[in-house]
Amino acid sequence: MRESRGVIARGKGSPVELVDIRIPDPGPGEVLVRIQACGVCHTDLLYREGGVNNDFPFLLGHEAAGVVEVVGDGVATHQPGDYVVLAWRAPCGNCRSCRRGRPWYCFDSTHEAQRAPTLADGTALSPALGLGAFASHTVVGAGGAVKVDPAVPAVGAGLIGCGVMAGWGAAVNTGAVTRGETVAVIGCGGVGNAAIAGAAMAGASRIIGVDIEDRKLDLARRFGATDGINAQAVDPVDAIRDLTDGNGVDVAIDAVGSPRTYEQAFYARDHAGRTVMVGVPDPSMSIELPMIEVFGRGGSQKSSWYGDCLPSRDFPLLTDAYLQGNFPLDAFVSETIGITDVEEAFARMERGDVLRSVVTFDGA
């Protein structure tokens, strides 16, 4: 058992608290990771607001990088000193999806630890996405600790574990963008800009960022957008068609997750183009589309879960691309903060002031 301080959400809508917690020793198949940096992700805010479930209190934090300190029994893949990025899904290898050769859709992820961390009084905590990384240490299944090159700074590397991978994978894995194709990304926040960077990395010839704020469109150009459309000023579907000889784009990515933005993505496609939704919608939302349009336009409508990534393959791929100067990982980090500053970081996130605030710990 290890004593630490962790950021928890005790009840729906209540400000987060920094409290004493107890972290169990790693069990069979698990590793103890000393956290060096952890991003403040919108999903953590959803947990605080009760938007995921009501299993309070939550130990927040999941976009993290750090160093393995202890390995549990039966772990042959890791050793103390390994530098890792945490993944909130790790293929089990045995479910029907894994057996079919589609481990990125695994239905029985093995990343969660067998025993939960607790408050000092013994109250069990629910780790966000099974990780709970707003603390000095966390215990995860070995499959959820993906080894990457230690030359990559932890403040950026941790972001690959969630938001950056979701956006990049939406373009590269789900959308299957190929060289010379045209792409539109609606919503130029952290996930949307990662999709833009992924499309640029894949060789897209034109990448159109769409947002309602000019400052976000300016930022999108840093990640590879060739054009920007302010959806407050013009109809984005018409503007996208004007930029693509009247045809629409090959791949349209909705990084917002609302009925309006999904419909815009659907109609902004070229004939037989692909629509990808990676923005997470509110459960109460619904959409209605004419069936003749769904049939007549052809192509596909896809949802992107975690960028349809395989962490053991894609995390090292992105860190290597960063080290080779081919992926702008540092640009996603708006600020580094302390463990006491998470509540204020949520407020900056809600105002749209940051792409990512990153909590750093000793040794980062």
Side-chain angles (χ1 to χ4, degrees):
M1 186 72 68
R2 185 178 297 266
E3 304 285 337
S4 182
R5 299 273 281 168
V7 176
I8 70 164
R10 197 180 293 273
K12 183 176 180 179
S14 298
V16 299
E17 304 172 36
L18 181 63
V19 300
D20 293 327
I21 64 171
R22 295 175 178 172
I23 300 165
D25 296 325
E30 298 173 349
V31 296
L32 175 74
V33 178
R34 174 171 56 83
I35 303 300
Q36 293 184 327
C38 184
V40 181
C41 177
H42 192 266
T43 302
D44 292 305
L45 181 59
L46 282 178
Y47 272 101
R48 194 199 71 175
E49 296 302 305
V52 178
N53 58 53
N54 289 312
D55 295 336
F56 292 97
F58 293 110
L59 176 59
L60 302 180
H62 61 279
E63 283 187 340
V67 176
V68 173
E69 282 198 349
V70 182
V71 299
D73 292 342
V75 176
T77 54
H78 294 70
Q79 60 185 6
D82 285 343
Y83 181 60
V84 297
V85 172
L86 302 189
W88 54 265
R89 289 177 67 189
C92 69
N94 297 314
C95 71
R96 64 189 185 279
S97 185
C98 287
R99 292 197 305 270
R100 291 170 180 167
R102 295 179 290 188
W104 43 89
Y105 293 145
C106 176
F107 302 121
D108 191 19
S109 178
T110 61
H111 74 286
E112 292 192 38
Q114 300 164 51
R115 291 191 298 151
T118 67
L119 296 174
D121 65 5
T123 301
L125 292 165
S126 300
L129 290 175
L131 299 177
F134 282 152
S136 65
H137 294 75
T138 192
V139 174
V140 298
V146 180
K147 290 185 281 189
V148 299
D149 193 318
V152 181
V155 291
L159 305 184
I160 292 173
C162 187
V164 166
M165 180 52 60
W168 180 88
V172 175
N173 294 332
T174 315
V177 175
T178 59
R179 186 171 300 280
E181 288 194 307
T182 54
V183 179
V185 177
I186 302 174
C188 298
V191 172
N193 281 319
I196 287 170
M201 193 170 160
S205 61
R206 177 160 241 156
I207 305 169
I208 304 166
V210 180
D211 205 283
I212 59 174
E213 296 185 29
D214 286 335
R215 64 188 179 92
K216 289 188 176 181
L217 296 174
D218 291 339
L219 186 60
R221 290 182 174 89
R222 293 177 54 191
F223 291 93
T226 57
D227 304 273
I229 294 171
N230 187 319
Q232 293 273 61
V234 297
D235 181 285
V237 175
D238 290 342
I240 288 169
R241 293 191 174 279
D242 287 344
L243 289 169
T244 53
D245 299 323
N247 299 319
V249 290
D250 297 301
V251 182
I253 299 172
D254 174 12
V256 177
S258 75
R260 182 172 179 78
T261 53
Y262 186 84
E263 185 174 326
Q264 289 168 347
F266 177 83
Y267 285 109
R269 298 175 304 145
D270 194 359
H271 180 70
R274 286 101 71 196
T275 306
V276 176
M277 181 171 68
V278 64
V280 181
D282 183 285
S284 66
M285 292 176 175
S286 62
I287 189 169
E288 183 175 317
L289 291 170
M291 289 189 68
I292 190 61
E293 294 288 353
V294 175
F295 173 77
R297 288 174 177 272
S300 62
Q301 286 72 242
K302 298 181 178 182
S303 299
S304 186
W305 300 340
Y306 202 9
D308 290 344
C309 79
L310 187 57
S312 59
R313 174 195 66 195
D314 292 337
F315 287 15
L317 186 155
L318 268 190
T319 52
D320 289 349
Y322 164 75
L323 291 173
Q324 294 160 10
N326 296 324
F327 190 77
L329 188 57
D330 294 332
F332 290 96
V333 181
S334 303
E335 61 178 359
T336 56
I337 61 173
I339 190 69
T340 61
D341 302 323
V342 172
E343 186 67 26
E344 291 79 6
F346 280 150
R348 288 191 288 276
M349 176 197 302
E350 289 185 295
R351 292 194 302 266
D353 294 342
V354 294
L355 285 182
R356 276 296 186 273
S357 304
V358 179
V359 175
T360 57
F361 298 83
D362 293 341

